[in-house]
Amino acid sequence: MVHGVAFGDAMGAPVEKLSAAEIRERYGRVTSLRTAWHRDGQSEDQRKGRVRGNGITTDDTAMTLSLMRIYEREGRHLDAWDMAEGMVREIAWESRWVPELQRETPLIERLFYPEKWIFQRLQLSACDPRQGGVGNMVNCGATMYIAPVGVVNACNPRAAYDEAINFAEGHQQSYGLEAAGVFAAAIAQAFVPGTTLSEVVQTAYDLAHDGTRTAIGEIVAAAGELARKGAEADEVTDTFHRLIAPFSPMGDNVSHGPEKAGLATAAYQPSRLLSIEELPLALGFCITAGGDFRQGVIDGINSGRDTDSIGVMVGAILGAMHGPSVIDEDDAELLDSANRFCLSESADRFTTAAQAIIQGDEEAARARAAQRAAIFAQDKKEAAE
């Protein structure tokens, strides 16, 4: 799952914010981690001092690893107070190598405004952690890094949904928050031994609410039909974008500029009718790829727009389903070297923490079962008397 996050992120990063048509015009089709960033050749100011391409990951992976470290430190399930303490520490007060900036620095120096808001709201404003979330300022927000919640709740999608909502309400609200819960649930279901992609998708649909549920339903239905007839990638992308348009304010123009001042505000307000687009699209690309890990990521990131986050969601779901078979040795080595981390070691440490948390859950469940059995036994005794 961890390699799936990083691979999908690094695959999508060079083409993020391009439309599908712009990707086709510039690249033909992106199929490798060894891809140059579309902003290469621009000035440092235009690039905001960042570098991408050839395996470099973005904030999606960095915040996923941050969440994993919080679980490792705490050794328990998390809630909004852990967002206020653990995530604030991770993004604002810990210096680590930030690949896009090519230097050690607090992650907040790289984050977009909505993720910086975690620090501003929860530390500088000292608000109640449960009220830290503000709107849907970023299209996918907490969903891009929430996959570890699905791991510590492996095989228990409802618990994963609830914990993701409890934790991420310190970051977002409304349909951005809803998607985080649904994505975590999909990851939890993906870990069920022998589960099918249909079961993962059905779990996501069953637990989703409001516009998120409707959007998933429409994309999934179309994806099944497209898969049956063997539709080409361009037709899949065009169909998905047409269907997601009523739910998502994004469109092909994902950059903010002065021309959008005062115009996009309503689209980012809380809504029961809207959905972020990345999660429904990611589920759709999983289906049209027939559950194939690499094909799903490639199809997703070539669809344009928020490509790195779509890649993360496809990669995490199918990585959790298929396990180590998805990891190409050359890709794993490039990811480690380009980003100065060791994903296998990070995954091992997190696995140890997740296993301990799950074991604790099982022991607590057995204790509750024994207590309930004692109640029933007492009831029977009293009834007999």
Side-chain angles (χ1 to χ4, degrees), residues 186-214:
I187 296 296
Q189 179 64 37
F191 275 100
V192 173
T195 195
T196 65
L197 181 57
S198 294
E199 290 170 332
V200 172
V201 172
Q202 189 64 48
T203 295
Y205 178 78
D206 288 345
L207 289 176
H209 300 86
D210 300 332
T212 302
R213 180 185 174 95
T214 309

Side-chain angles (χ1 to χ4, degrees), residues 308-332:
D308 56 338
S309 296
I310 295 172
V312 163
M313 295 176 205
V314 174
I317 291 170
L318 297 180
M321 276 190 64
H322 300 313
S325 64
V326 306
I327 304 169
D328 180 87
E329 184 176 344
D330 290 340
D331 288 339

Side-chain angles (χ1 to χ4, degrees), residues 15 37 42-43 69 72 77 86 126 155 168 188-189 224 236 300 303 356:
V15 295
W37 190 17
Q42 294 182 349
S43 70
R69 285 189 292 267
E72 291 162 23
H77 293 290
C155 308
Q189 179 64 37
V236 171
S303 70

Side-chain angles (χ1 to χ4, degrees), residues 175-329:
Y175 58 94
L177 178 61
E178 176 65 14
V182 175
F183 181 47
I187 296 296
Q189 179 64 37
F191 275 100
V192 173
T195 195
T196 65
L197 181 57
S198 294
E199 290 170 332
V200 172
V201 172
Q202 189 64 48
T203 295
Y205 178 78
D206 288 345
L207 289 176
H209 300 86
D210 300 332
T212 302
R213 180 185 174 95
T214 309
I216 290 173
E218 296 210 7
I219 293 292
V220 166
E225 181 58 32
L226 291 165
R228 280 189 288 274
K229 74 174 190 176
E232 296 294 328
D234 289 351
E235 181 182 357
V236 171
T237 295
D238 290 345
T239 301
F240 285 178
H241 284 176
R242 174 176 56 81
L243 291 174
I244 203 68
F247 303 96
S248 171
M250 179 180 283
D252 280 338
N253 184 5
V254 301
S255 297
H256 282 280
E259 73 284 356
K260 289 187 176 181
L263 298 178
T265 304
Y268 295 98
Q269 293 300 311
S271 170
R272 296 191 64 180
L273 302 178
L274 300 182
S275 169
I276 70 164
E277 66 179 57
E278 293 89 342
L279 179 58
L281 294 183
L283 292 170
F285 285 118
C286 287
I287 294 169
T288 55
D292 181 88
F293 172 84
R294 193 176 191 92
Q295 189 64 50
V297 171
I298 289 173
D299 290 347
I301 64 101
N302 278 281
S303 70
R305 304 180 178 179
D306 192 7
T307 50
D308 56 338
S309 296
I310 295 172
V312 163
M313 295 176 205
V314 174
I317 291 170
L318 297 180
M321 276 190 64
H322 300 313
S325 64
V326 306
I327 304 169
D328 180 87
E329 184 176 344

